[in-house]
Structures are given as C-alpha cells and as structure tokens.
Amino acid sequence: MLLGTAHLVVSAAPSPARRTRLAGTVRDYADGFAERSGIRTDLELPADLGPLSKDVATALFRTMQESLTNLHRHSGSRTASICIARHEDAISLQVRDTGHGIPKAKMASPDGPIVGLGVGIAGCANGCGS
Ligand SMILES: Nc1ncnc2c1ncn2[C@@H]1O[C@H](COP(=O)(O)OP(=O)(O)OP(=O)(O)O)[C@@H](O)[C@H]1O
Ligand SMILES: [Mg+2]
C-alpha cells in the first residue's frame, strides 16, 4: 500500500522562544478533523513541546492543516497519522496516510520534486507565509 507523507523539520528557536498553546491547538484541530472527515486520526505529541517561537509554532500548525486538507482532498485514505517530535534544537512534524500516493504524472521522477504544485505545498516549503 502506498503512503503519502508530509515531513517538516524546523529549527526550534530562530527568534525569541516562549511557551505556546500549540499542543492544545493541535489536539483540538486533529479531533475536529477526525469528526468532520470521518478519517481515523492518530496523534503522537510529546507532553511538553518546550518553548517555541511564534513563527515556528505558526509554520508547524499551518503545515499540519495543509497536510490534512491534502490528505482529505487527494489521498483517498481512511487513516491519518500525525507525529510531532521535539529534538534538541529542532522540532519535526510528520503526517502520514494510507492512500494511493501522489499520482506518478505529478512527479518529475520517482524521487524528484512534484510538478504542478498548488499553493499548499509550495506555501509550506516557504514557511507558510510566516
Ligand atoms: N496526501 C496526498 N495524497 C495524494 N496526493 C497528494 C497528497 N498531498 C498532495 N497530493 C498531490 O500533490 C498536489 C499538490 O498539492 P498542493 O497542496 O500543492 O496543491 P493542491 O492541494 O492541488 O491545491 P491548493 O493547496 O493550492 O488548494 C495535489 O494536487 C495532489 O495531486
Ligand atoms: Mg493543497
């Protein structure tokens, strides 16, 4: 079975870091997504995300939103798996599905970049405008 995976790793504190409500916001959004879409959604989140700058928290949240929107619109998956992990000086986000994957016609080569990107993935690659 093919998997669609979105993966983001950002430096955790490029500008002043502070405690955020990101964990609660992520939990609420994942619950709402599961309820609205009927897609079984698993969330792995550390108890303490540690201090984050506002820009990093915003980029993380927007990337998760766009990944879940893409999963719902494009993948055909019945499951979503979100994993946020805190590393020493970085934070990572992974959103996985069990759908049919990105169509071959949209890949420049098997491991190459996606052609015909919409605003979503390109925006996330550019820090989601934050
Ligand atoms: N989880 C996924 N499963 C299968 N295909 C995907 C998935 N996520 C993205 N894609 C493919 O990658 C393409 C580009 O995604 P992107 O988010 O950039 O644009 P979009 O969703 O088509 O439009 P927009 O985000 O601008 O509303 C999608 O059109 C779709 O074909
Ligand atoms: Mg999109």
Side-chain angles (χ1 to χ4, degrees):
M1 192 177 294
L2 288 171
L3 291 175
T5 303
H7 204 167
L8 172 80
V9 181
V10 282
S11 169
S15 53
R18 60 188 174 82
R19 298 273 152 190
T20 70
R21 290 194 297 259
L22 182 66
T25 307
V26 162
R27 252 185 232 106
D28 289 348
Y29 192 85
D31 287 349
F33 173 79
E35 202 176 306
R36 287 190 301 277
S37 66
I39 293 173
R40 202 191 74 220
T41 304
D42 296 327
L43 175 63
E44 200 179 311
L45 192 65
D48 182 10
L49 274 174
L52 294 172
S53 75
K54 195 172 171 225
D55 286 352
V56 167
T58 302
L60 225 122
F61 184 68
R62 290 199 187 147
T63 301
M64 182 192 73
Q65 273 184 313
E66 173 59 22
S67 302
L68 290 175
T69 301
N70 277 352
L71 188 156
H72 184 236
R73 282 176 65 197
H74 304 300
S75 77
S77 181
R78 300 310 306 149
T79 64
S81 163
I82 306 162
C83 177
I84 296 179
R86 177 82 201 202
H87 311 280
E88 196 177 330
D89 57 359
I91 188 157
S92 63
L93 162 74
Q94 189 175 54
V95 179
R96 291 159 59 90
D97 65 60
T98 49
H100 45 64
I102 294 176
K104 279 199 184 116
K106 292 214 170 183
M107 305 294 288
S109 63
D111 295 319
I114 303 170
V115 291
L117 280 182
V119 175
I121 292 177
C124 291
N126 289 324
C128 297
S130 61

